[in-house]
Amino acid sequence: MTVVAEGVETEEQHELLARYGCDEMQGYLYSKPIPVADFEGLLQMTSFSA
């Protein structure tokens, strides 16, 4: 099972969740909501290697 925390807004929240083994996190700490077109542009600029 993969655990995803939503609404992470502070480093303290991130650290606590990581300490308890949370696998993935999302929220304002990482990025404010952006339009889909802007997100797609970011993905095109970023290269991911598998």
Side-chain angles (χ1 to χ4, degrees):
M1 177 175 11
T2 300
V3 176
V4 179
E6 296 184 5
V8 179
E9 297 183 5
T10 67
E11 284 291 336
E12 292 80 13
Q13 290 171 332
H14 171 91
E15 291 171 14
L16 178 70
L17 290 162
R19 209 173 314 135
Y20 282 99
C22 184
D23 300 302
E24 304 288 338
M25 299 173 222
Q26 65 183 41
Y28 276 79
L29 177 63
Y30 310 103
S31 175
K32 293 184 178 181
I34 60 174
V36 172
D38 293 348
F39 179 71
E40 290 171 341
L42 289 172
L43 289 177
Q44 291 176 359
M45 293 180 357
T46 306
S47 63
F48 294 95
S49 59

